[in-house]
Structure formats: structure tokens, C-alpha cells
Amino acid sequence: NSVAWSPVGKQIVSGSLDGTVRLWDAATGGPGPVLHGHVGSVRSVAWSPDCRHIASGGEDNAVRVWDASTGAPGPVLQGHISNVTSVVWSPDGNQIASASWDKTVRVWNVKIGALIHVLEAHTDFVNGVAWSPDGRRIASCSADWSVIIWDAETGKAEHTLTGHAAVVSGVVWSPDGRQIASSSDDNSVRVWDAETGEMRSELEGHTDGVTSVAWSGDNSQLVSGGKDKTVRLWDAQTSSAGPALKGHTDWVTSVAWAPDGNQIVSGSVDKTVRVWAKTGDRWTTLWAMPFSGFIELRDVSWTGATVSGAAKSILEQWNQ
């Protein structure tokens, strides 16, 4: 349920129900290698901070690490007893946090493939996980309608954020680390103070559940994707609604910003990855790349030269 740009902006990684993880050229949508490994759908993918590795999590309960340039498989992190729904790297690239339908978040040492912490407090599926920019805290969101902030070193819960009126589908830290945004099936995006856990604003405009939310690199804007088939922009300072980007023909399951803030990538149940570009005050589709076969994009991540996506047991890469 996510898409992401590589840290240097040239690539995008995406995940899908057909078991693939795919990389795309961010400028043209051109395809690259296909990586096999997962059994069943891939539900999340993420770039390492140095762009050298990709992590993926899937229906096979596993977290897999890949060499981003060669596609060679790395460590397989096993311990979850249900679907892995979200993966995220620590800012220093040494750890991965994974969320699962087994109601836990697990924190792993990537280099030795060892489990560090099991974070347990949610009472239902955990749908998303995010690491704070300073590496000190982890946020998770759940079908129990809550967001929990954890101490990354001790694994202890610090705050439980409540206010959503339905499943919380996604969570993300602001780049300055001061705020957290969450998306929910209650049709809203909520913004929280990361230190106190207090809600700062509620963004309303989607007409159906919101599946994904992402913060622009300069903290000024949010983008969200929803079951109403739209991608929506928001002013993070005033909470006012910006344009609604229309083009997808089914649920938008994931959104992410390009590092420069002038492009957005979105993944959808309509089997496409779509890149939107800003020209002046207008946003238009730069390219839309269809998948073959049945694919619902679950996770997309932007690098600097390619985009990558995941679905049923394959990872595909498209280079610039």
C-alpha cells in the first residue's frame, strides 16, 4: 500500500499483489530487472538511505533484502506469523522495522539478520510503520484505530494517538521530525504533534477511505491517495486543501513525493504506476505505466533514477 521515490530522485520502487517488486525510471517509466523471491503478494517495499538496497515485505510473512543494483538476494528476516504489511529502514541504514497482521512491529539488525525488538501493544492488524528522521522513535498504525509512538532503542511505547474513527492505514513522519501524519478509512488525514501526541489538524476532502499519505521534503505539503480514485494535495501549514489529481480508474493505494517536491508517484488497483509533474501551478500526468496481469500496487518507493514495485514473487527494476 505504498510507493516511494529513491533518496536521490531517479528511481521509483513499487510492490504488487502479483508478487513482483518493480523498479522504474522516474523520468520515462522504462523497465528494469525482475527479482524473484516472495511467495504470494508483496505488500511493502522501501529503499535504504544510501540507495544500495531494497527491503520488501509480503504475504509470505517474510522481510527480504535485495541488492538494488544487481538484484541479488540478501538476508531473509523471518519471525512474523502473518502478512508483513509495511517495512522501513532506520535513518542510518543498519536496521529495518516491519509491521504485520500478527499485531506486532519487529525491529531487525540488517547486517546479521537478527531480531532486536518485538513491539507489542496494538490489538489488531498493524498496517504501517515509520521511523523518525533522528532515528530515536518509531510510529505504527493499526486497524485498532490508533497510532503508537515507540522508543526505538528500548522498544517501549511512549504515546498512543487516538481520534480516528476507523482503521488507520498509513503513517509518516514529517522530515523535520516534529509532526506525524496518518491516513484512515474514516476518509481523513490527521496531523499530530510528535512530542506530545496531540492532534493538530484534520484534513477532510476525500469521499472514501484514505489509503496512504506522504510529506514533501520541505515540510510544506502533504499528499494523500484514496479509495475515491484521487490523489489530493494539502497545505501542511494551513491545513487547506490543494488540487485533487484525477486519472486513476480505481483505488489509489500508495503515494510518494520526489525529493525535489515537483513530482508525485501514485500506485493504484487500476494496475498502473502514475507520475505527476508540476508545471507552474498545474499538476499533470508525466507518465503512466501499466503492469501486465492482475496487479494491485502495494508499495512504491522513489530513488534517484528508477522506480520499483512489488507484486507476486518477482521484483522488477527499470533503470534511467
Side-chain angles (χ1 to χ4, degrees), residues 209-234:
V210 188
T211 60
S212 180
V213 62
W215 223 297
S216 64
D218 64 0
N219 294 288
S220 67
Q221 296 181 84
L222 287 159
V223 64
S224 57
K227 296 179 182 179
D228 60 5
K229 309 175 190 177
T230 69
V231 174
R232 292 179 180 265
L233 287 92
W234 312 86

Side-chain angles (χ1 to χ4, degrees), residues 26-45:
T28 67
V34 181
L35 309 186
H36 301 256
H38 281 286
V39 178
S41 67
V42 180
R43 296 190 172 271
S44 183
V45 292

Side-chain angles (χ1 to χ4, degrees), residues 16-35:
S16 172
L17 287 179
D18 70 357
T20 65
V21 176
R22 298 173 184 243
L23 283 154
W24 312 77
D25 182 305
T28 67
V34 181
L35 309 186

Side-chain angles (χ1 to χ4, degrees), residues 224-266:
S224 57
K227 296 179 182 179
D228 60 5
K229 309 175 190 177
T230 69
V231 174
R232 292 179 180 265
L233 287 92
W234 312 86
D235 186 307
Q237 307 306 315
T238 66
S239 303
S240 59
L245 311 183
K246 300 179 180 180
H248 284 295
T249 59
D250 212 325
W251 291 5
V252 179
T253 53
S254 181
V255 291
W257 288 92
D260 65 6
N262 291 319
Q263 295 182 56
I264 293 167
V265 60
S266 56

Side-chain angles (χ1 to χ4, degrees), residues 11-225:
Q11 297 175 283
I12 298 170
V13 63
S14 63
S16 172
L17 287 179
D18 70 357
T20 65
V21 176
R22 298 173 184 243
L23 283 154
W24 312 77
D25 182 305
T28 67
V34 181
L35 309 186
H36 301 256
H38 281 286
V39 178
S41 67
V42 180
R43 296 190 172 271
S44 183
V45 292
W47 289 96
S48 64
D50 62 6
C51 294
R52 296 176 60 188
H53 296 90
I54 293 168
S56 57
E59 196 175 57
D60 55 7
N61 308 346
V63 176
R64 292 179 178 269
V65 179
W66 313 84
D67 185 297
S69 60
T70 68
V76 180
L77 311 177
Q78 295 180 309
H80 283 294
I81 58 174
S82 189
N83 292 358
V84 177
T85 55
S86 182
V87 293
V88 64
W89 292 81
S90 62
D92 64 10
N94 293 325
Q95 298 177 59
I96 290 172
S98 55
S100 171
W101 282 0
D102 66 11
K103 307 178 187 178
T104 71
V105 173
R106 291 176 183 254
V107 181
W108 312 85
N109 180 306
V110 179
K111 291 184 178 179
I112 62 175
L115 180 66
I116 300 172
H117 294 302
V118 179
L119 311 184
E120 296 181 283
H122 286 294
T123 59
D124 208 333
F125 298 161
V126 186
N127 294 319
V129 63
W131 217 301
S132 66
D134 63 9
R136 295 191 303 110
R137 291 175 294 169
I138 292 168
S140 59
C141 65
S142 171
D144 65 10
W145 301 10
S146 77
V147 174
I148 296 179
I149 301 174
W150 312 81
D151 184 298
E153 184 176 356
T154 66
K156 296 186 180 299
E158 293 184 346
H159 299 291
T160 299
L161 315 184
T162 58
H164 280 296
V167 169
V168 186
S169 55
V171 63
V172 62
W173 290 83
S174 62
D176 64 8
R178 298 172 61 185
Q179 299 179 86
I180 292 170
S182 57
S183 57
S184 172
D185 276 356
D186 65 9
N187 304 358
S188 78
V189 172
R190 293 177 186 241
V191 178
W192 313 82
D193 186 297
E195 291 297 329
T196 67
E198 295 180 359
M199 190 180 74
R200 288 187 170 180
S201 60
E202 182 177 4
L203 311 181
E204 295 181 300
H206 284 283
T207 58
D208 205 339
V210 188
T211 60
S212 180
V213 62
W215 223 297
S216 64
D218 64 0
N219 294 288
S220 67
Q221 296 181 84
L222 287 159
V223 64
S224 57

